[in-house]
Amino acid sequence: SFKDVEIMKISSVFIFMMMPLLAVADGMPPVEFVLSTPKKAYEIGEQVPVSLCIRSRNASYMFEYKEVMSLKHDGHFSVVNPKGVKLQRQSDCGKYAPVREWMAVTANGKLLRNAELTKIYADLRDNAKPHALTMAGNYQVVFSAEIEIRDMKEPDKKWSGRLISAPLDIQIVDVAQIPSEEDLKALFAEGGDKALQLRALMKIQYSKVPLPEKELTFLTALYMQSDNATKTQIIRILGTKISGDSFKSIVKILTVEKDPLVRSEAIAVLERYRTSESRALLVNECIARRERSYIAAIVVLGEIGDRSCLDVLRNIASSDDDKWVRERALESIRRIEQRKE
């Protein structure tokens, strides 16, 4: 269902303010948006290309078309995930300038736009709202725009209003097989394609396949010589492939990582490791008061900390220069004290 998507009627539909026009069967507009994709199913992390066409419903009529985008969501490919929640866009690469000049529309259709949905709905940063195609299941895609249409033979006969495509169903399936160590070595060879590298790491992160020791060892070594985007993706893998060896990799990362944002990512995944060792790392991060990352540690302690963590949090709550940080420490203290141990 299209919960949260602003659609008044679905099925290539419209909210049309009628101007002088030709008779149209069933009150439907004389043109329709049509979405298509080459395959019915894509693996998590795979590119998802979508094409948008506009075509005349009646081969006996010839029309011209242009767009007048007046609403914030116009010109977007909107995506609803399997839970019925509209995804939050992470990129403007799917936002197009409207077609301002009159353009002929034929019964065979005219290609308007191509898009790659995983670029528009990219898994860049953790976000409170769903924002990427990383859940297996059926997704629905629509496109909408405020448009004007006129008859090419009788230009005074026009239509104007919002046109919405019929939903395009796209199936996202679980990753069947993760890249092997040999595959990863070839992929991350000098001069390798950055986008393909990140997609391979995303496949590992979201797969349900356990991460073998050889691949884990390779990724840990790769981390030490990678840029921040690759480092972040590797950390996320360690946060989903929970094991004693993965925890050891996080310890190695925290020993060497100095970038505050990347370090914060590593601290955040410790929430998945509810052990005394992970709590000790978080407490040490708070004691060191490292830029940004100690704030992440404060928050995570609120989730997995025990009473042994209270002293360091109380110290921050009473002495930190930043009021917001003090409030986060107080919140974590409250959460720990409310838990039954």
Side-chain angles (χ1 to χ4, degrees):
S1 67
F2 265 82
K3 193 159 89 177
D4 297 331
V5 180
E6 298 177 39
I7 296 178
M8 299 299 294
K9 185 177 177 185
I10 296 179
S11 66
S12 287
V13 208
F14 59 97
I15 306 167
F16 262 72
M17 297 166 288
M18 296 305 232
M19 300 171 69
L21 60 126
L22 294 170
V24 182
D26 301 324
M28 300 296 285
V31 297
E32 61 181 344
F33 285 144
V34 180
L35 295 174
S36 61
T37 189
K39 301 193 302 182
K40 290 185 177 180
Y42 299 88
E43 276 194 351
I44 293 172
E46 190 177 357
Q47 290 185 332
V48 183
V50 173
S51 296
L52 170 71
C53 291
I54 187 169
R55 69 186 180 194
S56 172
R57 291 180 181 274
N58 191 327
S60 63
Y61 291 124
M62 291 291 293
F63 300 97
E64 289 182 310
Y65 152 90
K66 67 179 178 179
E67 296 171 15
V68 186
M69 293 184 191
S70 58
L71 300 175
K72 183 179 179 181
H73 53 264
D74 278 350
H76 288 311
F77 292 86
S78 297
V79 179
V80 172
N81 75 7
K83 291 185 176 180
V85 178
K86 183 179 177 183
L87 298 187
Q88 180 175 351
R89 298 166 56 82
Q90 294 292 297
S91 169
D92 279 335
C93 65
K95 174 72 174 177
Y96 296 87
V99 178
R100 297 293 190 189
E101 303 299 325
W102 289 109
M103 180 181 70
V105 178
T106 66
N108 293 328
K110 184 177 182 65
L111 177 66
L112 293 179
R113 288 156 197 166
N114 289 311
E116 204 282 278
L117 293 183
T118 64
K119 288 185 178 179
I120 303 171
Y121 297 96
D123 190 28
L124 301 179
R125 290 271 177 199
D126 286 338
N127 196 298
K129 296 182 180 179
H131 58 279
L133 287 76
T134 51
M135 175 194 301
N138 186 69
Y139 290 72
Q140 290 190 315
V141 185
V142 295
F143 181 89
S144 63
E146 197 80 14
I147 69 168
E148 292 183 15
I149 308 165
R150 69 182 183 187
D151 190 325
M152 291 180 67
K153 295 179 180 178
E154 300 180 68
D156 289 339
K157 294 184 176 180
K158 297 180 180 180
W159 296 256
S160 67
R162 185 173 171 223
L163 186 67
I164 305 171
S165 72
L168 171 68
D169 289 324
I170 294 178
Q171 195 74 17
I172 300 296
V173 299
D174 287 321
V175 176
Q177 183 177 0
I178 65 173
S180 66
E181 179 190 22
E182 291 71 24
D183 294 334
L184 290 170
K185 284 181 178 177
L187 192 59
F188 283 91
E190 187 175 354
D193 187 304
K194 183 68 177 178
L196 291 179
Q197 292 170 354
L198 292 177
R199 286 183 184 280
L201 295 178
M202 183 184 293
K203 283 178 175 286
I204 296 173
Q205 176 189 350
Y206 285 101
S207 74
K208 296 179 180 178
V209 182
L211 183 62
E213 183 179 351
K214 286 197 308 181
E215 283 69 23
L216 174 59
T217 301
F218 175 82
L219 291 175
T220 304
L222 176 66
Y223 180 96
M224 303 303 171
Q225 54 188 354
S226 295
D227 60 19
N228 285 357
T230 302
K231 285 181 175 181
T232 297
Q233 199 61 56
I234 292 172
I235 289 170
R236 292 180 178 183
I237 291 172
L238 299 176
T240 56
K241 306 300 180 183
I242 307 298
S243 70
D245 288 334
S246 292
F247 181 76
K248 290 176 183 177
S249 294
I250 295 173
V251 173
K252 289 180 182 178
I253 287 170
L254 290 173
T255 301
V256 299
E257 186 56 62
K258 293 186 170 39
D259 183 277
L261 289 175
V262 179
R263 190 175 181 87
S264 295
E265 289 273 358
I267 290 295
V269 301
L270 288 174
E271 182 179 344
R272 304 292 303 280
Y273 294 82
R274 295 173 176 266
T275 63
S276 58
E277 291 82 1
S278 63
R279 284 190 285 270
L281 287 176
L282 294 168
V283 167
N284 289 337
E285 197 74 12
C286 289
I287 292 171
R289 304 268 183 116
R290 290 186 176 91
E291 181 187 359
R292 294 182 71 101
S293 58
Y294 86 98
I295 302 174
I298 292 170
V299 174
V300 176
L301 280 177
E303 299 299 322
I304 70 169
D306 58 21
R307 292 187 177 276
S308 68
C309 309
L310 289 176
D311 286 346
V312 68
L313 289 171
R314 286 169 179 150
N315 181 267
I316 293 172
S318 63
S319 66
D320 199 273
D321 293 336
D322 191 309
K323 179 183 177 182
W324 186 87
V325 174
R326 296 196 301 272
E327 289 173 347
R328 300 289 75 71
L330 288 170
E331 174 63 17
S332 290
I333 291 169
R334 183 186 65 79
R335 293 174 70 85
I336 291 172
E337 290 179 337
Q338 287 180 344
R339 280 200 290 272
K340 294 180 180 180
E341 299 182 17

